[in-house]
Amino acid sequence: MHDPRYLRDNLDTVRSALGKRGQDVPWDAVQKLSEERRALTTQAEQLRHELKKGSDEVARRRRAKEPAEEAIAAMKQVGDQIKDIEGRLREAEEALNDLALRIPNLPHQTVPQGTDATQNVEVRRWGSLPSFSFPPKPHWEIGEALGILDFDRAAKIAGARFALMSGTGARLERALIDYMLDLHTSRHGYREVLPPVMVNRQTMTGTGQLPKFEDDLFRLRDEDWFLIPTAEVPVTNLHREEILSEDRLPIRYTAYTPCFRREAGSYGKDTRGLIRLHQFNKVELVVFTTPEQSYAELEQLTGHAETILQNLQLPYRVVMLCTGDMGFSAAKTYDIEVWLPSQNQYREISSCSNFESFQARRANIKYRPGGGKKDAKTDFVYTLNGSGLAVGRTVVAILENYQQPDGSVLIPEALKPYMGGRDKITKE
RNA sequence: GGAGAGGUGGCCGAGUGGCCGAAGGCAACGGUUUGCUAAACCGUCGUAGGGACAAAAUCUCUACCGAGGGUUCAAAUCCCUCCCUCUCCGCCA
């Protein structure tokens, strides 16, 4: 959501800054409704002022035992006018709001121009790629052979794009969740939260999933609740409609949740394995901070996610997304991509973004600068979040990078304490 | 699911049709006093949208007493719908 005043006065700037991203926005309608709303607001306020004065006059006359019929009749008319104007105002506001909520965020200046993922910019690489004396297998073959992944039964009980993990596979997923949360809470300064995974419409609107991307979400049939596609949604909305004092900032949360995505329109993509599922687990990092600190926070938060991969000794690279590949709400995004030997490429395992005030405006999350002094003007916080990490994809990376010629899989050193001390997954 | 109670400013809490954006208290902030602390006293003390001013200070208008409708010249106050919280019963983890 953009500042309506800024939008009104700088429509052309916004429009060109959005470039390709804003192609489907009906700019003329935005401008027209913007002006209409302003005019109607002024009219309505003037009329209400008149009504107030008139009503006070009636009250005064009543007390003075003077006749008030004339004033009452006049005010009755003003009242009718107000009803008319306010009705039109409401319509204009609703229409404008609906359009405004569909305008994506403006990219930060440092974001490269581009139309798709091929124009993302690699920022850095970490780790050395593993070499194999045999053709590395895809994780689903490894997992099924070991008896820790079962896609056939998952399909039976739920359908395509679901997974069943069992035995050491289930333990591995749980170990990773534990490990990530422990690291972020004890070393990186995040507070752990365990939020609802079903949320209401307002919450989904706050972070930008609604109104534009309802088709990507699972929705309950009898209630207006949605399954969260990421913990970003409930956790960012923790402070919706709140004013935080600056000395509380930055506020950092980490949350493990399952995530649910319809994956509409991705038929045929990553149909096998754990890469793209309707339900997956993720540990998320969410930060509320000031505008000044937000970009330093983005670097730091990305680093926190990288630490997990480093500790697990998984090679990865960091890319800065170009304007055409960024999500709707983001101003700047780094993707962390982990190396997958079977695919001979890096694949996304984390996405870290600064949303600037875009979500804060939608969710009305403010802060009061200057150590809580009353006279300081409030302003919107900046929100950030990143995966730290997508758990299923981390399992994928471990299975593939740590696979052995005999089909077993070594357990990364850092994870052993979380795996009951075992150092290897063998056939079960 | 059944029955009942309730939602007012950061918090507590008054307010049943007009002079109420809302008494009083607490907290907070500024000051006076004080050897220091405390206390006392004085003052300030919600959010947002518009207008005036070149801008800030400031002034002014409008909205907001859970949300949305309605009645009325006039609604925190009356009516309707919804949401949320609490208590009891039932059910369940």
Side-chain angles (χ1 to χ4, degrees), chain A residues 10 19 96 110 115 127 158 212 216 226 278 298 311-312 335 359:
Chain A
N10 303 278
L96 179 63
T110 55
T115 53
K212 208 172 173 181
D216 297 338
F226 299 84
H278 287 309
L298 177 61
N311 293 357
L312 295 174
D335 271 8
Q359 295 180 323

Side-chain angles (χ1 to χ4, degrees), chain A residues 45 130 140 174 176 200 246 254 269 316 320 324 369 376 422 426:
Chain A
E45 289 190 351
W140 58 86
R174 175 162 61 90
L176 282 167
N200 59 34
E246 185 174 5
T254 183
K269 266 193 272 181
Y316 67 88
M320 192 190 323
R422 90 187 65 179
T426 50

Side-chain angles (χ1 to χ4, degrees), chain A residues 102-271:
Chain A
R102 292 166 192 270
I103 301 173
N105 201 359
L106 298 177
H108 189 253
Q109 308 96 298
T110 55
V111 171
Q113 283 292 326
T115 53
D116 56 55
T118 61
Q119 287 158 76
N120 294 342
V121 174
E122 183 174 304
V123 179
R124 59 182 166 272
R125 289 186 183 208
W126 186 91
S128 47
L129 305 187
S131 59
F132 296 93
S133 58
F134 57 96
K137 289 180 185 161
H139 68 277
W140 58 86
E141 283 184 21
I142 302 166
E144 286 181 322
L146 288 170
I148 61 171
L149 282 180
D150 188 338
F151 292 99
D152 293 338
R153 289 199 172 94
K156 176 171 70 182
I157 60 181
R161 291 205 189 286
F162 285 92
L164 174 74
M165 307 182 98
S166 70
T168 312
R171 176 68 184 266
L172 179 61
E173 181 95 1
R174 175 162 61 90
L176 282 167
I177 293 166
D178 257 9
Y179 176 65
M180 291 177 192
L181 286 173
D182 281 355
L183 189 77
H184 294 316
T185 53
S186 67
R187 303 288 293 282
H188 297 154
Y190 292 77
R191 180 178 175 82
E192 182 177 347
V193 288
L194 188 64
V197 298
M198 288 191 278
V199 300
N200 59 34
R201 185 169 287 272
Q202 201 184 350
T203 295
M204 278 294 182
T205 306
T207 30
Q209 281 71 24
L210 291 179
K212 208 172 173 181
F213 306 103
E214 185 155 353
D215 288 349
D216 297 338
L217 302 169
F218 287 108
R219 182 181 162 193
L220 298 215
R221 183 162 56 200
D222 297 326
E223 309 282 345
D224 202 23
W225 285 337
F226 299 84
L227 297 181
I228 58 169
T230 159
E232 159 194 352
V233 173
V235 177
T236 304
N237 278 278
L238 273 184
H239 293 298
R240 195 174 72 223
E241 311 290 337
E242 289 185 19
I243 300 171
L244 310 164
S245 78
E246 185 174 5
D247 50 28
R248 281 186 64 192
L249 301 177
I251 299 174
R252 301 190 181 94
Y253 293 114
T254 183
Y256 149 70
T257 67
C259 304
F260 304 89
R261 300 186 182 178
R262 290 193 54 209
E263 295 297 344
S266 65
Y267 309 111
K269 266 193 272 181
D270 304 307
T271 50

Side-chain angles (χ1 to χ4, degrees), chain A residues 277-338:
Chain A
L277 299 172
H278 287 309
Q279 176 188 335
F280 62 97
N281 294 311
K282 186 154 61 71
V283 169
E284 186 75 358
L285 306 170
V286 175
V287 177
F288 301 80
T289 189
T290 58
E292 298 74 37
Q293 287 173 6
S294 68
Y295 278 95
E297 281 287 339
L298 177 61
E299 298 301 323
Q300 197 177 57
L301 178 142
T302 307
H304 292 154
E306 287 175 64
T307 304
I308 304 278
L309 289 172
Q310 291 172 10
N311 293 357
L312 295 174
Q313 293 285 301
L314 292 168
Y316 67 88
R317 65 171 191 168
V318 177
V319 299
M320 192 190 323
L321 299 194
C322 72
T323 52
D325 200 30
M326 276 201 305
F328 175 78
S329 302
K332 180 170 181 170
T333 299
Y334 291 116
D335 271 8
I336 303 174
E337 301 179 338
V338 71

